[in-house]
Amino acid sequence: MADQQSSRAELGKVLVVIPTYNERENLGPIVKRLNEALPSVHALVVDDGSPDGTGQLADEMAAADERVHVLHRTEKAGLGAAYIAGFGWALEHGYDVVVEMDADGSHAPEDLPRLLDALSDADLVLGSRYVPGGKVVNWPKRREVLSRGGNIYSKLALGAKVNDITGGFRAYRHEVLEKIRLDNVASQGYCFQIDLAWRTIEAGFEVVEVPITFVERQVGVSKMSGNIVREALWRVTKWGVRRRLEQLGLRRR
């Protein structure tokens, strides 16, 4: 245990970016669990102008706890844009490790220490539902089939040796976010997760997976939509075709 704590300390400053839109009921409990699991870690709430008062609650939490920070955005511009804004804030404020985590409780903060431990030998650690030890709890069968199918298709199209490239619980070293081009990321939803993981792999960084337990949210409404699925299918197909053309020497990198 002491060795693990020492290894985490060597990682430097860790920031967990938590995008929110109408997550007032979930935000307090998830940050409390994060603080209990890893007291030294900071959290950045990126709120997209939630009409339910999530942003106001985040401000109150930040005023009471120096480990909590808030970035207000004026409109709901999508998950990808929220994370890009959060990553930029993290780099500007000198954080060494940046973590993605949902506010709805589907990602267990108690799993984060294992992700950070794995980062000692990697540049990006993916919390994976689809490796031995990983699992999904209380998810509708349709969603699980869609998720597994999306991951299999992405793996085949991109040739990426990753089992859960769509997952949103992950930890980046700051060097990754500085090198991959964030200024031209246009993907949203879980396609954003595929996009950044694929950019990381293409840039030559070490990517590993750690098993996690993903739990369906108990409060609030999922942001998943048909448009998100269609976007992912289109973009992954396009990236896969580009990769194949490069392999055949018909397109330059």
Side-chain angles (χ1 to χ4, degrees):
M1 179 66 73
D3 289 342
Q4 291 177 332
Q5 291 177 343
S6 175
S7 177
R8 288 175 212 149
E10 291 175 0
L11 292 174
K13 295 170 58 181
V14 179
L15 180 73
V16 179
V17 180
I18 307 175
T20 57
Y21 184 78
N22 287 348
E23 298 286 0
R24 184 178 177 88
E25 293 182 77
N26 290 316
L27 182 60
I30 201 67
V31 172
K32 182 175 184 293
R33 288 171 60 190
L34 176 63
N35 289 341
E36 290 173 349
L38 289 166
S40 64
V41 165
H42 287 202
L44 173 67
V45 179
V46 183
D47 187 65
D48 275 8
S50 299
D52 73 343
T54 301
Q56 180 181 352
L57 173 61
D59 284 337
E60 294 169 0
M61 294 169 62
D65 188 340
E66 63 181 6
R67 296 170 297 181
V68 179
H69 313 275
V70 188
L71 179 59
H72 291 282
R73 286 154 45 83
T74 57
E75 61 181 358
K76 188 175 185 293
L79 183 70
Y83 270 127
I84 293 298
F87 293 163
W89 191 96
L91 295 176
E92 288 174 6
H93 289 79
Y95 285 91
D96 302 291
V97 174
V98 186
V99 177
E100 293 185 28
M101 189 174 76
D102 288 350
D104 61 14
S106 57
H107 301 146
E110 296 78 12
D111 284 338
L112 183 54
R114 291 188 296 106
L115 269 69
L116 296 181
D117 291 341
L119 200 59
S120 62
D121 297 314
D123 302 298
L124 166 61
V125 176
L126 305 176
S128 179
R129 299 159 289 186
Y130 307 131
V131 295
K135 61 182 178 179
V136 174
V137 177
N138 295 333
W139 227 12
K141 197 63 181 178
R142 173 181 166 278
R143 284 290 302 277
E144 185 172 352
V145 169
L146 182 65
S147 174
R148 287 183 180 274
N151 275 289
I152 291 171
Y153 181 73
S154 298
K155 190 173 185 178
L156 292 173
L158 302 176
K161 297 178 181 180
V162 175
N163 295 288
D164 193 359
I165 201 169
T166 67
F169 192 19
R170 50 180 64 182
Y172 295 89
R173 287 185 178 272
H174 73 96
E175 292 91 348
V176 175
L177 299 178
E178 287 176 337
K179 183 171 182 179
I180 62 176
R181 293 188 58 189
L182 297 176
D183 60 319
N184 66 350
V185 175
S187 49
Q188 293 294 327
Y190 70 78
C191 186
F192 171 81
Q193 310 297 3
I194 301 171
D195 193 347
L196 262 65
W198 179 234
R199 289 172 187 241
T200 302
I201 293 168
E202 284 199 305
F205 288 107
E206 183 69 23
V207 179
V208 301
E209 294 182 90
V210 169
I212 62 165
T213 297
F214 179 94
V215 181
E216 171 69 331
R217 67 158 65 231
Q218 294 183 331
V219 179
V221 179
S222 171
K223 312 301 190 298
M224 179 62 71
S225 70
N227 287 337
I228 289 174
V229 175
R230 286 187 288 272
E231 180 206 17
L233 180 61
W234 159 244
R235 290 188 185 275
V236 170
T237 300
K238 183 175 69 173
W239 297 332
V241 170
R242 183 190 70 188
R243 169 179 170 270
R244 185 57 179 158
L245 292 175
E246 289 172 352
Q247 289 177 330
L248 295 172
L250 300 176
R251 185 183 189 279
R252 293 183 179 180
R253 282 185 173 272

